[in-house]
Amino acid sequence: MAKPHTTFVCQACGAVAQRWQGRCDACGAWNAMAEEAAAAGIGAQARPRRKGRVFGLTDLGAAGQQAPPRLVTGIAELDRVIGGGFVAGSVLLLGGEPGIGKSTLLVQACASLAARGARVVYISGEEAIDQVRLRALRLGLGEVKVELAAESSVEDIVATLGHGRTPALVVIDSIQTMWTETIESAPGTVGQVRAAAQALIRFAKAAGSAVILVGHVTKDGQIAGPRVVEHMVDAVISFEGEGGRDLRLLRAMKNRFGPTDEIGVFEMTGRGLAEVANPSALFLSGRERAAPGAAVFAGMEGSRPLLVEIQALVAQSALGTPRRAVVGWDTARLATVLAVLDAHAGLRLGQYDIYLNVAGGLRVAEPAADLAAAAALVSSLTGRSLPADQVYFGEIALSGAIRPVAHERARLKEAAKLGFARALVPRAVAGKDEAGAPDLISKGCAHISELVAEIAGARPRQRGGEGTA
Ligand code: TYD
Ligand code: MG
């Protein structure tokens, strides 16, 4: 059978079909199939045009002796997330919803690097040169030596970048607006985005420039269309905002040259993005003191301690199947904590709707948050508020035991720094020498039943007064 000349590629997930479909078989997206030239795919060409070239092999040990050179921007929140600066010859994808501040962040980073003497090129495929200039002016960066162009042809861009001193950093804003002549489909389609990214990655590796690709993501958090780019690049960084607030979180989703558990915290101001050096204070601001159902978790984000409030609401359910709604935490983890509270502390939560919320739009993935979540749940159930000057951390085992977690010193120190006086921690931690946090009294807790007794007193009282304990 003769090969078809075109295929249909889902613009949401990149799945390939031979015939047009209204709904993608792979991801279920409607109206996402677009016709693309078949030659775009890997293996589409049956016979290679030339014979294979023999290349030299090198020792693994010898190649990796030196750490890759880094371009330090001086914006500490950014540098930490990317692992200590941009790596020469690497490609980074910065994803985020439109309007979140990607261009703003990159203009600031470019200006900072240019001020340190690096050659920096900013290619805007979305905005006219005047718009980019206007933004820079607003950011107080009118005088910086960032080279600027409004272009979208990848061939032209690569040719231009090949002239003169090799740029240390190239920003492509955004990859969705780029197009290459090697592909016939329209800009923004999966085929174009993939081919354009490939060409720019080739340029980065050959020239040794660090290249940043900006990618817009859809509401459900997927990098629209160019999800296919995610596995081609060296690092994927996402820039997220919290609805209604000016808080912005920079987060590494993948990084071949750095950690993936660090976050960078920024605030969008009238003069661009400002670094938030002490995010705990920010996450705890606006906290209602001594409200039932709120517990402060002394957490860690990568290498940095971060205090955040965990809020729970336990309410009588009118439904046959009670609701469980979780924001910023893992639903399965909530189910586990509820099961342990039931089995080992006798709290029957089956007839309650349960809402759990990590304040400030943060996502907590650490098991160390178990104890704080359990404290918030018990506090809401009993209607007794927790001490406002107390923090919590500890992992809850299925047996009901409270297990120690890593970095207890850093957590306690951060809590003490923010004016907390007490901490409820795993027993094993409380026994240790607390030289790191002299102003803090830490109380040990060995079992979940101790936590419940501590909050509810000797006789647990159900909310509303009439329920059975
Ligand atoms: P932008 O960087 O253009 O977002 P993206 O590139 O992710 O689409 O940011 C646009 C938003 O940021 C816009 O709503 C205005 C706001 N903003 C400020 O609040 N302060 C500033 O100094 C700047 C430059 C933008
Ligand atoms: Mg932009």
Side-chain angles (χ1 to χ4, degrees):
M1 200 179 89
K3 263 196 181 304
H5 292 293
T6 58
T7 51
F8 293 86
V9 180
C10 173
Q11 302 303 299
C13 73
V16 179
Q18 297 309 318
R19 249 170 280 113
W20 187 84
Q21 293 162 340
R23 182 170 181 270
C24 172
D25 284 339
C27 71
W30 287 96
N31 260 338
M33 304 302 279
E35 192 169 3
E36 290 186 10
I42 294 164
Q45 190 125 23
R47 228 176 298 122
R49 282 201 208 99
R50 58 175 185 85
K51 265 186 85 175
R53 175 180 60 88
V54 178
F55 53 81
L57 297 165
T58 179
D59 282 343
L60 168 67
Q65 298 270 305
Q66 263 176 331
R70 299 259 184 188
L71 280 170
V72 180
T73 65
I75 302 174
E77 296 292 303
L78 172 64
D79 287 335
R80 199 184 48 251
V81 171
I82 56 183
F86 296 111
V87 177
S90 78
V91 180
L92 183 148
L93 178 69
L94 177 70
E97 283 175 24
I100 205 76
K102 300 181 293 296
S103 306
T104 307
L105 177 69
L106 290 176
V107 165
Q108 287 179 256
C110 285
S112 178
L113 276 171
R116 293 167 171 232
R119 184 182 176 208
V120 179
V121 179
Y122 190 103
I123 308 283
S124 175
E126 294 193 340
E127 293 165 300
I129 288 185
D130 284 342
Q131 278 176 290
V132 183
R133 279 214 185 107
L134 216 62
R135 180 191 284 116
L137 220 56
R138 190 172 158 192
L139 297 170
L141 303 171
E143 300 294 304
V144 295
K145 284 203 166 57
V146 175
E147 293 168 50
L148 183 66
E151 285 293 336
S152 56
S153 157
V154 173
E155 280 77 24
D156 295 354
I157 291 168
V158 170
T160 307
L161 294 175
H163 274 280
R165 184 156 69 106
T166 306
L169 180 75
V170 178
V171 172
I172 304 290
D173 188 0
S174 65
I175 188 67
Q176 275 107 329
T177 53
M178 294 295 134
W179 62 278
T180 156
E181 272 149 39
T182 57
I183 299 282
E184 286 199 4
S185 40
T189 55
V190 169
Q192 274 290 357
V193 166
R194 183 169 41 202
Q198 256 158 6
L200 291 162
I201 290 167
R202 247 191 328 268
F203 164 78
K205 306 285 169 204
S209 305
V211 172
I212 302 178
L213 308 176
V214 173
H216 291 298
V217 304
T218 50
K219 277 273 178 284
D220 57 0
Q222 292 180 340
I223 297 197
R227 248 181 76 195
V228 277
V229 176
E230 283 185 19
H231 59 256
M232 294 161 51
V233 297
D234 298 303
V236 179
I237 308 287
S238 84
F239 202 35
E240 302 159 14
E242 175 49 12
R245 283 178 73 174
D246 298 325
L247 206 63
R248 300 284 186 274
L249 298 182
L250 198 63
R251 196 187 287 277
M253 320 291 281
K254 151 183 172 176
N255 196 349
R256 287 184 186 148
F257 302 105
T260 51
D261 53 359
E262 298 283 355
I263 62 165
V265 186
F266 294 89
E267 204 170 357
M268 182 63 96
T269 69
R271 296 206 52 185
L273 290 156
E275 295 180 66
V276 177
N278 187 354
S280 295
L282 197 82
F283 282 113
L284 293 179
S285 68
R287 189 163 68 97
E288 275 178 76
R289 300 222 135 215
V296 177
F297 165 49
M300 295 292 294
E301 281 288 346
S303 61
R304 184 166 59 170
L306 188 63
L307 300 193
V308 60
E309 187 182 67
I310 295 187
Q311 304 162 348
L313 178 64
V314 177
Q316 278 287 353
S317 180
L319 305 168
T321 311
R323 261 185 81 88
R324 300 277 185 265
V326 186
V327 178
W329 207 43
D330 187 26
T331 320
R333 206 65 212 164
L334 173 66
T336 307
V337 169
L338 292 176
V340 172
L341 281 169
D342 185 321
H344 299 292
L347 292 187
R348 307 272 172 261
L349 292 158
Q351 78 272 34
Y352 291 97
D353 286 336
I354 293 175
Y355 303 86
L356 194 98
N357 187 9
V358 177
L362 208 67
R363 273 199 309 268
V364 174
E366 274 190 292
D370 292 354
L371 192 64
L377 288 164
V378 176
S379 164
S380 177
L381 176 72
T382 57
R384 299 198 181 167
S385 43
L386 304 170
D389 61 350
Q390 179 156 297
V391 297
Y392 298 81
F393 65 85
E395 181 179 347
I396 297 176
L398 290 180
S399 63
I402 312 295
R403 288 217 296 244
V405 295
H407 309 295
E408 71 263 13
R409 184 67 54 85
R411 297 174 200 268
L412 292 172
K413 253 180 145 167
E414 177 81 354
K417 200 171 92 191
L418 279 138
F420 286 85
R422 290 181 282 174
L424 195 72
V425 301
R427 168 91 22 103
V429 174
K432 282 196 194 171
D433 160 40
E434 267 355 305
D439 306 332
L440 205 92
I441 303 160
S442 47
K443 186 171 173 185
C445 184
H447 194 266
I448 188 85
S449 57
E450 288 175 34
L451 173 81
V452 176
E454 161 103 14
I455 298 169
R459 199 162 41 88
R461 176 175 66 90
Q462 296 274 329
R463 233 159 65 104
E466 292 144 26
T468 47

